[in-house]
Amino acid sequence: MTAPEQTLAAVPGADFAPDFSKGLLPAIAQDHATGEVLMLAYMNEEAWRKTLDTGEAHYWSRSRKELWHKGGTSGHVQKVCALRLDCDNDTVLLLVEQIGGAACHTGRRTCFYREWKDGAVNLCAPMVFDPEKVYGV
């Protein structure tokens, strides 16, 4: 028998916010319809708030040290369908609709496009766009 579902409003004292006192937090983007893991990025409080305000995924770029609107350059934005927090409030799961079909800057559907299987490395995600044409790189 499963416990009845509750909304956060029905749980006294429940706060729905990550614990950013721990620094940058991992943020996993997952396709809301298929469950496919698309990417892992990081969020700070600013990225979290911007994501809530806009309904589109925002992350913190560790390499550029700046806020990053996913798809802001390519147009391949992530529309947020739901947000989940883990039990320690230190990991964010974004259930998203990946606009344009590609989450990875390499042009592939997912950032997890390489797979070790049966003793060999294979590519396991389709190429959706040519990064040179999109980013000019």
Side-chain angles (χ1 to χ4, degrees):
M1 186 165 167
T2 61
E5 290 188 28
Q6 296 180 328
T7 63
L8 282 177
V11 180
D15 292 318
F16 191 74
D19 181 2
F20 290 108
S21 71
K22 299 175 182 181
L24 290 177
L25 302 181
I28 302 160
Q30 184 177 27
D31 185 283
H32 77 102
T34 68
E36 180 181 23
V37 176
L38 300 174
M39 57 179 276
L40 169 83
Y42 293 88
M43 279 189 165
N44 62 4
E45 192 166 0
E46 180 184 13
W48 170 258
R49 289 185 194 282
K50 197 81 166 163
T51 297
L52 290 176
D53 290 345
T54 65
E56 294 184 354
H58 287 73
Y59 302 104
W60 180 259
S61 171
R62 295 183 305 164
S63 60
R64 295 186 310 261
K65 297 186 181 359
E66 64 184 17
L67 187 68
W68 158 45
H69 176 210
K70 176 64 179 161
T73 301
S74 68
H76 294 98
V77 298
Q78 293 175 340
K79 300 281 185 181
V80 177
C81 300
L83 291 167
R84 296 181 183 175
L85 297 175
D86 76 334
C87 57
D88 294 323
N89 291 331
D90 62 4
T91 302
V92 178
L93 176 63
L94 298 92
L95 300 175
V96 302
E97 176 187 359
Q98 181 63 59
I99 304 301
C104 187
H105 74 281
T106 66
R108 297 199 177 267
R109 165 81 180 144
T110 171
C111 293
F112 297 95
Y113 63 89
R114 296 170 292 182
E115 174 181 63
W116 173 268
K117 186 175 179 180
D118 299 326
V121 176
N122 298 293
L123 299 178
C124 60
M127 185 67 84
V128 176
F129 69 85
D130 180 350
E132 190 172 304
K133 289 181 182 173
V134 171
Y135 302 114
V137 177

